[in-house]
Amino acid sequence: MIIIARKTGRLGNRLKLFSHFIAFSVEHQIPIANPSFYKYAHLFRGTQHSDLWCRYLPGVSDKIDATSQGMRRLAIPQWSRGVLYQSLHALLETSTTVGLKHWPMTIHSIDLGQSCQINKDPFLTLAQQRNVWVRGYRYRCSELVVKHVEKVRDFFQPTLSDQQRVDSVLESARSRASMVVGVHIRHGDYRTYLDGKYFYPASAYLAIMRQVTRLYPDQTIEFVVCSDAKFSADEFSGVNVRISQESPQVDMYTLAGCDCLIGPPSSFTEWSAFYGGKPLYKIVDIKRELQLSDFEFRIKSMIA
């Protein structure tokens, strides 16, 4: 078994990390436990009714039937999963401090700047021979995520209630347009992240939205704006816009249901594009003139 024992980043980052280990699990029939996912476990059908450890069991967990046995089980309180994670975290920190890394499970750690290809040796052989606690972010096996993409997507279906909210937003948008474009405006932490490199004002997004309308002259376009900041439709004059008032997870899956996406480099929109299989334009140069070829969907780049 592999146990993901350290949380890194927020929702998008944790979905990415978990996804690589799920694909690895399907390929090699090695169970996964992810107590570090405790904060978000209640948001997805694959983990909503799982045990405290948020396990993925190959051949079992990838068969999600929300209308049968899975929905009859009581959901585990988020706080109890949090207590388990904090306890394990403290235990592992102590073990590492005293130099104990092989008790009865092997501790495998990488720094934030490091990466580990889990489908290759030495990690692959280690995981096949021992139980492993992993601590780090860039544990990757992109080729297996591509191979087992549908199992990953099935496991991370939103809860039925969230899916209904997503469907409601999208149905309303499509009733007024022939094309729905998702726009992710990440302000919050991006105000200071990398000295504000990807913190773009609403006017910059509006300029890109107007470019999109020119690229698709035969389409009636509705833009769905999802953000961690507050905006009004008046800030996007000249385009048809809907400002989402939903939770982050509903926004994430609403974006996944749009026809194409726009947003700064972010694991949030990358996950939306990955889950929905939709083209994404990552805004790296805010002054660049948008081209149709800029919208692209490549699984490996979305899940990297």
Side-chain angles (χ1 to χ4, degrees):
M1 174 178 285
I2 295 174
I3 299 178
I4 304 172
R6 177 179 288 169
K7 60 182 181 180
T8 304
R10 298 190 294 185
L11 179 56
N13 294 84
R14 295 196 211 178
L15 284 168
K16 277 191 176 185
L17 177 62
F18 204 170
S19 294
H20 284 271
F21 277 109
I22 287 174
F24 179 86
S25 175
V26 174
E27 182 73 13
H28 298 289
Q29 297 298 293
I30 297 174
I32 306 295
N34 190 0
S36 73
F37 200 65
Y38 70 91
K39 185 176 181 180
Y40 304 108
H42 63 290
L43 302 178
F44 303 95
R45 295 186 214 178
T47 51
Q48 183 183 23
H49 298 282
S50 66
D51 62 11
L52 279 172
W53 294 78
C54 295
R55 298 177 196 264
Y56 181 88
L57 305 174
V60 177
S61 298
D62 56 342
K63 297 177 181 179
I64 307 300
D65 185 355
T67 62
S68 58
Q69 58 183 10
M71 294 301 291
R72 294 172 190 166
R73 298 176 56 187
L74 293 176
I76 293 176
Q78 182 180 342
W79 65 265
S80 61
R81 286 192 172 111
V83 169
L84 172 65
Y85 169 75
Q86 296 298 340
S87 300
L88 292 173
H89 179 71
L91 179 61
L92 289 177
E93 287 295 314
T94 301
S95 300
T96 302
T97 299
V98 301
L100 185 62
K101 295 186 178 181
H102 300 284
W103 59 277
M105 304 181 82
T106 297
I107 302 174
H108 189 284
S109 301
I110 57 174
D111 295 331
L112 281 177
Q114 295 178 306
S115 62
C116 175
Q117 294 300 313
I118 61 178
N119 197 40
K120 298 178 180 179
D121 285 332
F123 186 90
L124 176 57
T125 297
L126 177 66
Q128 290 173 328
Q129 295 178 347
R130 296 184 59 85
N131 294 320
V132 184
W133 300 79
V134 297
R135 300 191 305 170
Y137 175 57
R138 294 196 177 278
Y139 287 96
R140 297 292 187 261
C141 58
S142 298
E143 72 283 1
L144 295 186
V145 176
V146 174
K147 181 178 179 179
H148 301 297
V149 60
E150 292 307 321
K151 290 186 184 291
V152 173
R153 287 171 175 159
D154 285 346
F155 189 72
F156 288 116
Q157 294 178 67
T159 61
L160 291 177
S161 58
D162 280 348
Q163 186 62 60
Q164 289 170 355
R165 298 186 73 85
V166 169
D167 293 342
S168 177
V169 173
L170 291 173
E171 287 171 8
S172 179
R174 293 193 183 283
S175 69
R176 306 195 307 174
S178 59
M179 181 177 182
V180 178
V181 178
V183 181
H184 178 221
I185 302 179
R186 184 165 175 172
H187 274 186
D189 59 333
Y190 270 29
R191 187 179 295 274
T192 56
Y193 175 66
L194 296 178
D195 296 324
K197 181 178 181 179
Y198 301 124
F199 182 87
Y200 308 132
S203 58
Y205 286 94
L206 175 58
I208 293 176
M209 293 156 73
R210 287 174 173 168
Q211 290 178 43
V212 172
T213 61
R214 292 195 290 271
L215 288 175
Y216 295 95
D218 298 329
Q219 301 282 356
T220 302
I221 300 176
E222 176 96 340
F223 293 93
V224 178
V225 174
C226 300
S227 178
D228 55 0
K230 298 295 184 182
F231 294 100
S232 69
D234 293 339
E235 296 177 81
F236 303 95
S237 60
V239 297
N240 299 321
V241 66
R242 173 184 300 269
I243 309 296
S244 174
Q245 305 293 328
E246 298 290 346
S247 62
Q249 68 270 15
V250 171
D251 278 350
M252 176 178 275
Y253 280 79
T254 297
L255 290 171
C258 294
D259 297 310
C260 60
L261 309 177
I262 296 168
S266 168
S267 60
F268 192 95
T269 36
E270 287 170 354
W271 179 265
S272 297
F274 165 78
Y275 185 86
K278 302 299 171 56
L280 165 65
Y281 172 54
K282 295 181 186 180
I283 309 171
V284 177
D285 180 0
I286 198 65
K287 297 180 180 179
R288 186 180 186 282
E289 187 71 19
L290 181 63
Q291 307 292 326
L292 278 175
S293 58
D294 291 328
F295 286 99
E296 62 177 21
F297 175 71
R298 292 181 298 174
I299 290 181
K300 286 188 176 181
S301 68
M302 302 308 172
I303 205 68

